[in-house]
Amino acid sequence: MLQVLEPIFEPTFHSSSHGFRPARGAHTAIAEAKEYVGDGYGVVVDIDLSKFFDRVHHQRLLSRLGQKVADSRILKLIGRMLKAKVVMPDGTRVCTDEGTPQGGPLSPLLSNVVLDEFDKELARRGLRFVRYADDCNIFVRSERAGQRVMGSIRKFLQRRLRLLVNEEKSKVARPDEIHFLGFRLRKTKERTKVAVHVSNRTKERMDARIRELTPRRIVRPMALPQPCPQAFPSRWAAGEAGAAVSRTKSAAPGTAALSLEWRFSAVGADRPPGRPSWALV
């Protein structure tokens, strides 16, 4: 089904939609957001849709599909898929009157079909935006403009698309205060470039994962993954640690990289005096 529908709808999607599309992803979304911030759009309207996949209106979705799909058999099949009963953990089967099933290959395409109407409305208003699935950032020049856009977009989503905005997660703020796809944007001191930083939320998750993988006290030596050069196990271990720290420093300079460096040193690869634990020996 996806192989039939994707070539029909993919060319019609807006270029600022990056989620679940060929040759697009988080990296292209962040790159476009950087351009807007660099052009002077220093206020972000961060819109998060509340339980989007559970609130998709079936009739509106089938109507959008019917505008480009003439075969009624395909529409009926999708309709039956949308209304298929959901099996709960206790074995109970529940009917669904709205929403799209998550986890299937067709669900991401259907979500983009629904939100394409939202994209076209933003473009019609001349707004600069980046959308990844149900997470959308709109870039404006002032907080006053951001509040005005937030109010009008909220009404459009509720009245036209019958979707609700998550008020707790949606806000108008500076780019460095917005968590977007795990990152935040900030202009450099020279105000000529835009730097990409790991968001606080992502950093907390990274720290928690590092603590989980590398306990503070090592009871027994950590087993080295296989294969490794038998003649130089300490060099191999130190090299692997160094590569991990280097990648972390480039993506998240500061506390996360230092924490990773310290914990690798606790694991204990032998090294010459004066050399850091993560350096190649």
Side-chain angles (χ1 to χ4, degrees), residues 132-148:
Y132 189 98
D134 58 343
D135 195 357
C136 180
N137 280 2
I138 304 172
F139 298 83
V140 295
R141 294 188 182 274
S142 67
E143 185 172 352
R144 182 178 179 181
Q147 295 293 348
R148 183 175 63 250

Side-chain angles (χ1 to χ4, degrees), residues 17-260:
S17 169
H18 297 267
F20 312 115
R21 297 183 60 188
R24 293 175 181 268
H27 60 290
T28 57
I30 294 296
E32 184 176 359
K34 281 184 61 178
E35 292 182 6
Y36 294 144
V37 175
D39 290 341
Y41 295 87
V43 176
V44 180
V45 182
D46 184 19
I47 296 179
D48 185 274
L49 298 178
S50 176
K51 299 180 180 179
F52 166 71
F53 289 96
D54 296 331
R55 297 183 182 275
V56 172
H57 193 270
H58 290 173
Q59 194 57 43
R60 284 195 59 84
L61 172 57
L62 293 174
S63 177
R64 295 283 295 180
L65 293 172
Q67 295 177 7
K68 297 185 179 298
V69 178
D71 194 334
S72 61
R73 295 173 299 177
I74 294 180
L75 298 178
K76 289 181 180 179
L77 183 59
I78 295 176
R80 294 179 62 182
M81 181 194 70
L82 293 174
K83 296 183 180 298
K85 294 183 179 180
V86 177
V87 180
M88 305 302 290
D90 60 356
T92 305
R93 295 188 177 186
V94 180
C95 297
T96 56
D97 297 326
E98 59 181 6
T100 60
Q102 299 186 46
L106 192 59
S107 182
L109 177 65
L110 296 180
S111 67
N112 279 330
V113 170
V114 173
L115 292 176
D116 184 60
E117 187 175 356
F118 177 47
D119 297 340
K120 299 296 173 57
E121 177 65 18
L122 295 177
R124 186 187 68 81
R125 299 186 185 190
L127 296 173
R128 291 159 177 79
F129 70 96
V130 179
R131 183 178 65 80
Y132 189 98
D134 58 343
D135 195 357
C136 180
N137 280 2
I138 304 172
F139 298 83
V140 295
R141 294 188 182 274
S142 67
E143 185 172 352
R144 182 178 179 181
Q147 295 293 348
R148 183 175 63 250
V149 169
M150 175 67 83
S152 61
I153 291 301
R154 183 189 294 110
K155 292 179 181 179
F156 173 82
L157 290 170
Q158 293 177 353
R159 297 176 181 178
R160 185 72 174 270
L161 300 184
R162 302 184 184 182
L163 298 174
L164 295 179
V165 174
N166 189 328
E167 301 294 345
E168 294 182 359
K169 296 183 178 180
S170 301
K171 61 181 178 179
V172 178
R174 299 290 176 180
D176 60 343
E177 300 173 357
I178 297 295
H179 172 95
F180 183 58
L181 302 179
F183 298 93
R184 56 188 176 88
L185 305 177
R186 174 184 292 178
K187 276 197 170 184
T188 58
K189 294 182 178 180
E190 298 78 10
R191 312 294 293 177
T192 56
K193 296 182 179 180
V194 179
V196 180
H197 298 274
V198 174
S199 68
N200 294 333
R201 192 188 311 173
T202 302
K203 179 181 173 301
E204 291 174 358
R205 292 176 180 174
M206 290 173 59
D207 289 343
R209 186 59 174 165
I210 290 172
R211 288 192 294 268
E212 179 184 346
L213 295 176
T214 56
R216 188 173 293 272
R217 293 182 179 272
I218 305 299
V219 179
R220 60 179 182 273
M222 179 177 288
L224 294 178
Q226 297 294 330
C228 72
Q230 298 300 322
F232 306 99
S234 63
R235 293 193 177 191
W236 179 86
E240 288 298 303
V245 172
S246 177
R247 289 193 296 269
T248 306
K249 283 186 174 180
S250 62
T255 307
L258 293 177
S259 176
L260 182 60

